[in-house]
Amino acid sequence: MNKRKRLSPKSSKPKRSMLKTKYKTGERMLMKGNEALAEGAVRAGCRFFAGYPITPQNEIPEYLSWRLFEVGGTFIQAESEISAINMLFGASAVGARVMTSSSGCGISLKQEGISYMTAAELPCFYASVVRGGPGLGNISPAQSDYFQSTRGGAQGDYRVICLAPNSVQEMGNFPKLAYDLADKYRNPAMVLADGLLGQMMEPMGFTFDFIDVDKLPPKDYILTGCKNRKRRIINTLRMDSDRLEKFNWKLYEKYKRIKENEVRYEERYTDDADIIIVAYGTAARVSIDTLVRGREEGIKIGLIRPITLWPFPRKIINELASRVENFLVVEMSIGQLIEDVQLAVEGKAKIHFHGRPGGNVPTGEEVLKAVKQALK
Amino acid sequence: MQKIFKKPQSMTKIPMRYCPGCGHAIVHRLIAEVIDEFDIKERTIGIAPVGCAVFLDEYLNCDMIQVAHGRCPAAATGMKRVRPDVIVFSYQGDGDLAAIGTAETIHAATRGENFTVIFINNAIYGMTGGQQAPTTMPKQKTTTSVYGRDPKIHGYPIKVCEMLSALDGPVYLERVALNKAANVLRAKRALKKAFRIQLDGLGFSLVEILSPCPTGWGLTPRKACEYVDEKMISYYPLGVYKDLTQKKPT
Ligand SMILES: Cc1ncc(C[n+]2csc(CCOP(=O)(O)OP(=O)(O)O)c2C)c(N)n1
Ligand code: SF4
């Protein structure tokens, strides 16, 4: 057979000259949350993205569709979210830093693939830019996918590291953190944002340098063809129940290490607080406004903002519950985060709730009212 | 004494656990022979499906991965785009490829991804115990169509090569069968051509193999081969459905 023109799409190899840094580290600019996340991922070494359009995260694939080609990576608009996550499965298995993004319904479809990646111990990074649910819901910002993100909806004893930004700055920074954690623990890691964080523009600047993917530590488990080494197998079927039990305990140990080492949270004015608001993401942004307003009026409000939703900052909340009588959980849902707060508080304090589901964002004033109500 | 027939190097020593007369074992060997003949064991990644061939990774002596039911073409796409120089093949049954994974199959084909699909059409779900497959033929009995497939109730089967040949993306589509020695040799030629196409970077190739499942069909191995001959080949005609290597590229 004659050699002839390639008929298939050709994957471009990264050329040095193509590795455009684009933005200088520390350079301040106005950026949209979704685009900051996308550029942050590219800077952090993302070279493979597959996804399927869904509002309110479309700016992510739109941005990456041209940006990844500039750095010699691959962008694929897949036929479904199921296909997209399985493309990541393959791309991660051969060693790339991979990414997908979606919202509610799409993340639901990716769950099976995410479970497979935990079972294969393959790293991956994905972002969920939450919209209102259940069902088709709406396209407004919500936090009703907290359970979906921190519990997962797919099969098996697995966990996903979950980071919750509350600013465009963090949207830009967290992909790197997610990739580093995913690689370190060989487990998927995600960013949980919402429609507001995805769509809003804010000044930000990348705080880390553009990463040279060739200089990342080599992975000794990826498939490359078995030249000069023993063959490798990636398989999630463990038919023998003793073998599967052993693997599950291995995951247990890994998740224990993550819980011990990777908890992140922001703490404000907890020292003298009479009430502590627990909120993440957009609800935390709003609650900071409440905190300022309340303190002006002499109400001693403190704030715990979980940054890692899993592993959850359980210890600090538990400690605070020994000396603070009231907690107020603020979230844009009918109450999901509150269950983790209840587990952390262990009945030592009163837990109040202010929720705004359905795509509505609470105001600082509204939350202040809830604070006053709680302190009555 | 000269050895004239031996195990291909690309096979492991692990004994296969397939039923007697099962087509999977034959195809595994053919793949190993092709890998040996091209001397590409060290740059090949095979993808095992969910189905009876989920154990493929034990039998082939190269880098292997097993993926979720139906999603081999998506995973293959990811691997091939990141590492265009590795040789990737996916190995899939009819439930995997033409039911749960139909979308992945069609879209990988239409994108013209440069990997090879080996499609085992045994007209039944072997692993789960003989349920109706998307390729189960009219009148064929299965455990979920006990009186035989009735198109009025169960709909018609999918003819994969015919369907994919309507797309612009695939480069090579051929249907072969395993019912007799001459056809097994033809099957090997088809596999070799499919791998050649990938090695040359030309694009998507798929070989559909009509394959006996004596257990699922409730037949002896010999009767199962006759069933392929008498029933399957007439419904699923053998031959090349698309071959762009014969034409000038446009
Ligand atoms: C999502 C999902 N659904 C169902 C199954 C159960 N399942 C395992 S194998 C199989 C059918 C396999 O049939 P086929 O692809 O024709 O391969 P064969 O066993 O006949 O070789 C099914 C439905 C599964 N593993 N995953
Ligand atoms: S059930 Fe059918 S396909 Fe599966 S091993 Fe047995 S003969 Fe082969």
Side-chain angles (χ1 to χ4, degrees), chain A residues 1-9 11 13 48 74-76 79-80 82-83 86-87 89-91 93-96 112 116 222-237 239, chain B residues 12 41-43 45 50 54-55 57-58 60-68 71 74-75 77-79 81-86 103-104 107 111-112 114 171 196 200-203 244-245 247 249:
Chain A
M1 205 189 311
N2 294 330
K3 276 236 172 188
R4 46 193 282 280
K5 218 180 102 197
R6 174 190 287 268
L7 296 168
S8 67
S11 232
K13 275 222 171 116
F48 185 92
T74 302
F75 167 88
I76 302 179
E79 58 274 23
S80 72
I82 300 177
S83 182
N86 284 286
M87 288 177 183
F89 189 83
V94 299
E112 184 202 26
Y116 267 79
I222 59 168
L223 309 182
T224 53
C226 57
K227 196 170 176 153
N228 301 327
R229 62 161 168 80
K230 268 176 78 180
R231 78 190 189 100
R232 292 178 185 151
I233 300 170
I234 294 177
N235 192 329
T236 65
L237 180 76
M239 280 296 262
Chain B
T12 61
K41 185 170 89 106
E42 294 186 334
R43 53 186 282 222
I45 305 176
V50 174
V54 70
F55 298 113
D57 60 0
E58 292 185 19
L60 286 187
N61 195 11
C62 56
D63 273 7
M64 291 291 302
I65 185 168
Q66 174 265 316
V67 311
R71 317 303 171 200
T77 299
M79 297 199 275
R81 294 288 190 107
V82 173
R83 291 189 188 271
D85 295 335
V86 295
E104 281 76 1
H107 284 271
R111 283 192 307 266
N114 187 31
V171 173
R196 180 80 258 169
D200 290 343
L202 301 183
L244 290 188
T245 63
K247 275 192 265 161

Side-chain angles (χ1 to χ4, degrees), chain B residues 23-221:
Chain B
H24 280 306
I26 301 171
V27 182
H28 289 12
R29 187 189 160 99
L30 296 183
I31 296 169
E33 286 179 3
V34 170
I35 293 174
D36 278 6
E37 284 164 28
F38 282 127
D39 194 17
I40 50 171
K41 185 170 89 106
E42 294 186 334
R43 53 186 282 222
T44 297
I45 305 176
I47 307 181
V50 174
C52 283
V54 70
F55 298 113
L56 178 65
D57 60 0
E58 292 185 19
Y59 307 138
L60 286 187
N61 195 11
C62 56
D63 273 7
M64 291 291 302
I65 185 168
Q66 174 265 316
V67 311
H69 196 22
R71 317 303 171 200
C72 304
T77 299
M79 297 199 275
K80 211 47 204 199
R81 294 288 190 107
V82 173
R83 291 189 188 271
D85 295 335
V86 295
I87 302 302
V88 174
F89 71 88
S90 86
Y91 184 105
Q92 301 174 258
D94 39 56
D96 197 86
L97 181 137
I100 196 165
T102 316
E104 281 76 1
T105 307
I106 292 176
H107 284 271
T110 203
R111 283 192 307 266
E113 298 292 343
N114 187 31
F115 62 83
T116 303
V117 178
I118 297 153
F119 168 35
I120 307 297
N121 180 355
N122 58 14
I124 203 140
Y125 282 21
M127 186 182 225
T128 40
Q131 297 82 4
Q132 181 181 287
T135 49
T136 292
M137 295 168 292
K139 296 206 178 90
Q140 187 187 335
K141 288 181 180 153
T142 73
T143 59
T144 49
S145 50
V146 289
Y147 302 113
R149 182 176 198 147
D150 178 352
K152 286 205 195 86
I153 298 169
H154 308 103
Y156 288 93
I158 289 181
K159 296 179 172 174
V160 171
C161 279
E162 286 85 336
M163 177 177 72
L164 294 182
S165 64
L167 303 174
D168 291 336
V171 173
Y172 172 60
L173 303 166
E174 179 164 358
R175 185 182 289 130
V176 295
L178 294 179
N179 56 321
K180 51 189 176 204
N183 276 346
V184 171
L185 289 177
R186 275 189 206 110
K188 180 169 167 192
R189 274 205 295 276
L191 288 174
K192 213 165 169 181
K193 174 153 181 167
F195 273 80
R196 180 80 258 169
I197 284 167
Q198 184 181 169
L199 278 160
D200 290 343
L202 301 183
F204 187 86
S205 53
L206 178 144
V207 180
E208 174 174 345
I209 305 176
L210 304 182
S211 172
C213 171
T215 306
W217 298 348
L219 299 172
T220 62

